[in-house]
Amino acid sequence: MRKVIYPGTFDPVTNGHIDIIKRASELFDEVIVTVAINPGKTPLFTVNERVNMLQESLKDFKNINVDSFDGLVVDHAHEVGAVGIIRGLRAVSDFEYEFQMALMNRKLASDLTTVFLMPHEKYTYLNSSIIRNLASLNSDVSDFVPDVVLKALNKKFSK
Ligand code: COA
């Protein structure tokens, strides 16, 4: 049983994240998508809201589960029995940060392997801040996020 975790802020989850999660679910027996409670950001959505949006977006996939964590990602990976950590690489600009994080995580827990997956190229320019910014300015983000996220953004910005 090969279980991996995919950690992130997911504020909110985008179709780019979903693309990575689906790819991981085809490679591993179970994927746990885990929402970071305190990654040093001030999120728009609460942890519960982010978890619920992920659960709703991924409800059709039997081997994908969603939870949240506080503290070190490697500790959470050990708690759930994961063998590795999934991260997405969208462009070269992601590499340095991801390289540093993967090496530090390997130093902290040499039994865990970070696996990098590339989303479809149509998602390479996406991130959650851009989505929040566009939605706050009344721009249509329906091509970039699951329906449940679109509804939540509309509600947040009271459209
Ligand atoms: N599609 C669209 N956007 C994507 C994406 C994809 N496939 N992959 C990443 N992104 C975006 C995210 O939306 C996010 O956008 P934002 O900054 O505009 O909000 C940005 O890229 C960063 O991605 P994310 O996966 O959310 O990373 P993060 O830097 O917020 O989170 C943690 C990183 C939570 C995994 C990391 O901080 C962590 O592990 N924290 C726990 C503490 C710890 O263990 N520290 C030691 C680590 S060495």
Side-chain angles (χ1 to χ4, degrees), residues 6-12 14 16-17 20 36 39 41 69 71-74 87-88 90 97 100-101 104-105 108 119 123 126-130 132:
Y6 178 41
T9 311
F10 303 110
D11 185 41
T14 69
H17 294 122
I20 295 284
K41 295 184 174 180
F69 78 106
L72 287 175
V73 72
V74 292
R87 294 292 292 168
R90 289 160 297 172
Y97 171 63
Q100 186 182 25
M101 202 155 59
M104 181 52 80
N105 282 332
L108 293 170
Y123 300 128
L126 262 192
N127 68 27
S128 301
S129 317
I130 290 181
R132 293 194 302 273

Side-chain angles (χ1 to χ4, degrees), residues 17-45:
H17 294 122
I18 301 286
D19 180 287
I20 295 284
I21 296 164
K22 286 184 186 167
R23 287 173 201 278
S25 79
E26 285 164 13
L27 294 171
F28 295 95
D29 298 315
E30 185 180 348
V31 180
I32 300 179
V33 183
T34 186
V35 176
I37 293 178
N38 188 14
K41 295 184 174 180
T42 312
L44 174 67
F45 292 101

Side-chain angles (χ1 to χ4, degrees), residues 9-146:
T9 311
F10 303 110
D11 185 41
V13 59
T14 69
N15 289 341
H17 294 122
I18 301 286
D19 180 287
I20 295 284
I21 296 164
K22 286 184 186 167
R23 287 173 201 278
S25 79
E26 285 164 13
L27 294 171
F28 295 95
D29 298 315
E30 185 180 348
V31 180
I32 300 179
V33 183
T34 186
V35 176
I37 293 178
N38 188 14
K41 295 184 174 180
T42 312
L44 174 67
F45 292 101
T46 67
V47 174
N48 277 348
E49 286 172 324
R50 285 178 275 153
V51 166
N52 290 342
M53 286 188 281
L54 278 160
Q55 277 170 337
E56 179 62 26
S57 313
L58 298 165
K59 63 175 187 241
D60 294 335
F61 296 88
K62 297 275 167 286
N63 68 336
I64 301 173
N65 290 302
V66 183
D67 71 3
S68 61
F69 78 106
D70 207 354
L72 287 175
V73 72
V74 292
D75 288 343
H76 190 59
H78 284 151
E79 269 159 30
V80 300
V83 296
I85 300 168
I86 298 288
R87 294 292 292 168
L89 274 185
R90 289 160 297 172
V92 176
S93 50
D94 282 342
F95 180 77
E96 214 163 319
Y97 171 63
E98 293 298 338
F99 181 68
Q100 186 182 25
M101 202 155 59
L103 290 182
M104 181 52 80
N105 282 332
R106 192 159 71 188
K107 174 80 185 151
L108 293 170
S110 59
D111 57 321
L112 296 170
T113 298
T114 299
V115 179
F116 294 104
L117 298 176
M118 281 188 294
H120 192 284
E121 56 271 21
K122 68 185 173 189
Y123 300 128
T124 48
Y125 57 92
L126 262 192
N127 68 27
S128 301
S129 317
I130 290 181
I131 296 299
R132 293 194 302 273
N133 187 245
L134 288 174
S136 74
L137 297 170
N138 283 336
S139 183
D140 179 13
V141 294
S142 54
D143 281 350
F144 309 124
V145 295

